[in-house]
Structure formats: C-alpha cells, structure tokens
Amino acid sequence: MTKMLRLRWTSTMAGALVATISGTAATEAAECPRKDALGTARVLSVDPRTYPRVGLKSFPQTLPLADREVVLTFDDGPNPPTTSKVLAALEQECVRATFFLIGQHASEHPDMVKRIAREGHTVGHHSYSHPFMGRIPFEKAMADIDRGITADEMALHGSSTTTPSTPFFRFPYFESTHAQLDLLQSRGIIVFGADLWASDWEEMTPEQQLKLVTERLAASGKGIILFHDNKARTAAMMPAFLRYLRENGYRVVHIIPAGTSQRNADTR
C-alpha cells in the first residue's frame, strides 16, 4: 500500500477541529491514487494521560470523534489468508486501521506483522494466548500480556521488550480486572474497548454481517468499530462495508499514539 491518504476536509476545517478536540492532529498527505476512494479523513493522536481507557461498550469514555467519524479496529490476527484480504480492501480505499495482534499469531507470521505496519496501519496488542483475563491469577494475566507485547515487538522490530512501541492494548473478550487496568494505566498503555462491534464471531453470512454492522453504525452515528481480521466472513464483507461508508458520508479516523508523527507512523 502506498503511504498516502485522501483528505476529505479543507485545512480550515481541520484547523477548527484541532482547536476544539484535544489530541487531534490533521495530516498533510498526498492524494490517494483513486480519486473516488473513501480515504482516511484525519489522524487522531491519542494520549494515555487523557484517554487511558476508551470504548463505550466497556468504559464511560471514548475517543473524541465527530459525528459520522469511525475508527476501524481488527482483533485476533494476523491470519495470512484473511488478513491479506482485509489489507487489500483497506488499500483499495486508501484507509488506515488498527490491528490488535495476538502474540502467538505474530510469532508465527512475522512477515504479516511487518506488512501491516509497512502499509501504514497501527499495530496494537491483544495478549499472547487470548485467555479470559478476569478468570486467571493477576500475575499469570500480566505475564500473558507482556509475552504478547514481546512477541509483537519481536515480529515487528526484532527486539525483545515488554515496552510496546505502540502502547495500545485490548483485553480478550473485553474482560479485565481493576488491578489489571490500573497497572496498564501506570505503564502508559491505553486500553481499548469498542463503541460497537460487528459480532463477526457469530455464524452468519457476509451479507448478514454487513446488514448488522451498518444498522448498528447508523444507530450510533460514529465510533470505534470492532472486527476480527481472522474471520473469512469479515474479509469477504470488508469491501462492501468500506463502500457503504463512502456512499453514506462517513469519515475514517486513523489513531496513533501521542508523540508519534505521521511520518514515523508511515515508516516504522
């Protein structure tokens, strides 16, 4: 994927948004090769001191999104057969998303992890083995989180570290304890829930999933959306979903950590 966005707003509009919404960064970027593509409207730089936990399905706070703005997030990858199709759909529309990776899968498919980052997407973390974190001892849960971060960082950068280069984490099954949340907050790691989800873990056709998620989005008007890039139905549905966003006036927001420039996000 070329590292280019199609901006839908003028610089004046973006400047007004920056003045009213904390942590927002507009981006100067070349035009998307496809003039009719959905594109990525803007980049949102997220600071853990302001937004330690986001997603209305789990927490009282979410990201400062304007009406008809969405953040696309994908869990449980990488899974090359399906993740490749999701990436191709995003590339076709010049859209950037965030992938919360399972460490075990990252270890098995490091080239796919590098591809996700190379194509301009944000790489977050989703534990090593995807356990129910609220049902295991605190020490075991934190060890699985750190092992997942280490596996992702090794796949991405070749370094063995529990300090994530992108401090974004999502709990498996959205299940956590207060102690786990507090420790991640103390480490400056933002915990992501979601504002709405596609329920793509349930058996349904791509057409049924498209209907479900678009109805939920129409009802909410904006938000962080949860998909799973390891699901064949999601990969099959994604081109139609992105087309729906484009045809119905939605704008995609790409999230990056505070202090990360867009250039660094593009080339890491």
Side-chain angles (χ1 to χ4, degrees), residues 47-49 52 164 166-168 182-191:
D47 191 325
R49 294 168 296 182
T166 298
F168 293 173
D182 288 345
L183 184 57
L184 291 182
Q185 184 173 350
S186 74
R187 292 171 59 180
I189 297 175
I190 302 169
V191 174

Side-chain angles (χ1 to χ4, degrees), residues 39-51:
T40 301
R42 68 183 178 101
V43 175
L44 177 60
S45 182
V46 188
D47 191 325
R49 294 168 296 182
T50 307
Y51 299 101

